[in-house]
């Protein structure tokens, strides 16, 4: 059945005038008549009676009209909803994060919701040891992960401002009493690493095996989550490099956080799968870029 035939019948039923119905659908009166005749042939009975003086529905047309109106409205609503989802204005947006969702991320979520109230944003913590897996498995639409990211199938969108790194140490460790450390001091402390679900280059960036001047850094235990890493630090198993905002979020009395000079800053980037790009993700990246980084200024 042709949708245009149904639209012609509904227009005539509501206007009871072929000229007005034709103007409403931007077609000629003869086209309205043609569509109506086609629909009546499909049904096998007259739906509209037309004389030189008036247009009225037949009893069958009167019975069909309310049922068809409800069905047509439901169809239009379904199409409109699909269009809204396609344009990124309705649905669910799942954003993964590592370590902690700091103030900048939370402010971006709030701002995004204000602009797109029909989109529900869900924040999903992803394993520290598997930064790219949730996006690839479509468990999240995008994720804020630690850089670097050198994966051909992933897009790196908005990059957040760099953040200084600190070294998490057991509160009683001799280096914990220092006001600040140099990168060379890492050679004197086993460094907690990341279980090798992530690529080697990414794990090396988060837990380097050598100092900038080439001295080896002792390897500590391998962990899968930030919570496991902090627990290992508290248990005296080694030190842990963290960005300052994540360290602030995980502050506890049995762990000290000491600034480290001479190591690269930590930086997050918003990533998504190249073959699953969406307008919702693009709009979130835009909003994230516009949100002030008040969280970083608060810890510096």
């Amino acid at each position: 059945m042709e949708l245009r035939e149904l639209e012609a019948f509904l227009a005539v039923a509501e206007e009871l005038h072929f000229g007005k119905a034709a103007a409403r659908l931007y077609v000629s009166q003869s086209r309205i008549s043609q569509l109506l005749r086609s629909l009546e042939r499909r049904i096998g009975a007259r739906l509209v009676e037309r004389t030189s003086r008036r247009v009225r529905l037949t009893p069958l047309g009167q019975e069909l009209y309310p049922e068809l109106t409800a069905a047509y409205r439901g169809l239009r609503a379904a199409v409109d909803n699909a269009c809204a989802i396609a344009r990124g204005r309705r649905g669910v947006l799942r954003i993964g994060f590592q370590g902690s969702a700091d103030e900048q991320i939370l402010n971006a979520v709030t701002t995004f919701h204000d602009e797109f109230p029909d989109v529900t944003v869900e924040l999903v913590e992803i394993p520290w040891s598997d930064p790219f897996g949730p996006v690839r498995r479509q468990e999240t639409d995008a994720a804020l992960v630690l850089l670097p990211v050198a994966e051909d199938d992933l897009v790196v969108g908005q990059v957040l401002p760099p953040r200084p790194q600190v070294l998490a140490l057991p509160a009683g460790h001799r280096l914990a009493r220092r006001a600040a450390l140099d990168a060379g001091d890492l050679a004197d402390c086993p460094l907690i690493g990341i279980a090798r679900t992530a690529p080697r280059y990414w794990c090396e960036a988060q837990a380097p095996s050598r100092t900038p001047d080439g001295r080896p850094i002792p390897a500590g235990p391998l962990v899968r989550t930030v919570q496991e890493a902090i627990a290992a630090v508290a248990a005296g198993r080694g030190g842990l490099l963290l960005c300052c905002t994540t360290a602030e979020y995980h502050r506890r009395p049995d762990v000290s956080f000491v600034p480290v000079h001479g190591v690269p800053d930590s930086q997050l980037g918003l990533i998504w799968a190249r073959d699953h790009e969406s307008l919702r993700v693009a709009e979130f990246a835009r909003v994230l870029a516009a949100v002030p980084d008040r969280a970083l200024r608060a810890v510096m």
Side-chain angles (χ1 to χ4, degrees):
M1 184 167 291
E2 296 291 337
L3 182 60
R4 202 59 169 166
E5 295 173 0
L6 304 181
E7 290 176 333
F9 169 72
L10 290 175
V12 170
E14 290 168 6
E15 301 291 348
L16 294 179
H17 192 285
F18 273 62
K20 292 179 180 179
R24 177 165 147 183
L25 298 183
Y26 302 100
V27 298
S28 65
Q29 290 190 45
S30 60
R31 180 58 177 159
I32 291 289
S33 299
Q34 182 186 21
L35 290 168
L36 261 179
R37 286 195 301 268
S38 178
L39 178 60
E40 290 173 336
R41 281 196 300 270
R42 290 179 189 277
I43 292 175
R46 296 286 301 278
L47 300 174
V48 176
E49 291 180 350
R50 180 185 186 186
T51 69
S52 59
R53 293 188 176 183
R54 66 176 182 175
V55 175
R56 68 178 181 181
L57 299 180
T58 66
L60 180 59
Q62 292 175 2
E63 185 174 339
L64 176 63
Y65 171 67
E67 295 181 2
L68 185 57
T69 299
Y72 183 76
R73 286 175 179 168
L75 179 62
R76 286 297 301 269
V79 172
D80 289 345
N81 184 61
C83 290
I85 292 173
R87 295 179 182 129
R89 296 188 172 275
R90 197 169 295 166
V92 177
L93 179 65
R94 296 178 298 276
I95 302 294
F97 68 92
Q98 289 187 296
S100 64
D102 66 21
E103 184 181 359
Q104 185 176 6
I105 298 171
L106 296 177
N107 286 343
V109 171
T110 300
T111 302
F112 184 86
H113 179 72
D114 290 342
E115 289 193 30
F116 303 97
D118 292 328
V119 177
T120 300
V121 180
E122 296 179 354
L123 290 176
V124 181
E125 185 174 6
I126 61 177
W128 201 28
S129 61
D130 189 19
F132 311 140
V135 168
R136 285 173 168 153
R137 295 188 295 269
Q138 298 181 48
E139 296 168 2
T140 64
D141 299 294
L144 283 152
V145 302
L146 291 164
L147 300 182
V149 176
E151 308 296 305
D152 291 340
D153 62 325
L154 300 179
V155 176
V156 180
Q158 177 61 27
V159 174
L160 271 60
R163 288 165 163 75
Q165 295 207 76
V166 300
L167 184 66
L169 292 164
H173 195 281
R174 62 180 181 82
L175 295 178
R177 295 189 291 270
R178 303 260 294 271
L181 300 172
D182 183 76
D185 293 318
L186 297 177
D188 299 325
C189 178
L191 204 57
I192 294 170
I194 302 170
R196 287 279 166 78
T197 305
R200 181 180 295 274
Y201 75 85
W202 189 87
C203 295
E204 176 69 20
Q206 315 314 323
S209 59
R210 291 186 175 275
T211 64
D213 60 3
R215 286 182 291 163
I217 299 174
L222 299 179
V223 298
R224 294 169 298 175
T225 69
V226 174
Q227 290 290 353
E228 286 183 8
I230 295 291
V233 171
R237 302 288 304 281
L240 173 69
L241 282 173
L242 283 176
C243 78
C244 57
T245 51
T246 300
E248 189 68 25
Y249 180 82
H250 290 281
R251 192 167 291 279
R252 49 189 281 178
D254 53 355
V255 175
S256 296
F257 298 98
V258 186
V260 183
H261 301 306
V263 296
D265 288 342
S266 178
Q267 200 162 17
L268 291 172
L270 183 69
I271 66 167
W272 59 86
R274 192 174 300 278
D275 58 353
H276 285 93
E277 298 187 62
S278 73
L279 288 175
R280 280 194 294 274
V281 170
E283 290 291 351
F284 184 80
R286 175 187 61 79
V287 170
L288 184 64
V291 172
D293 189 23
R294 292 187 292 267
L296 178 60
R297 293 197 294 272
V299 297
M300 294 191 66

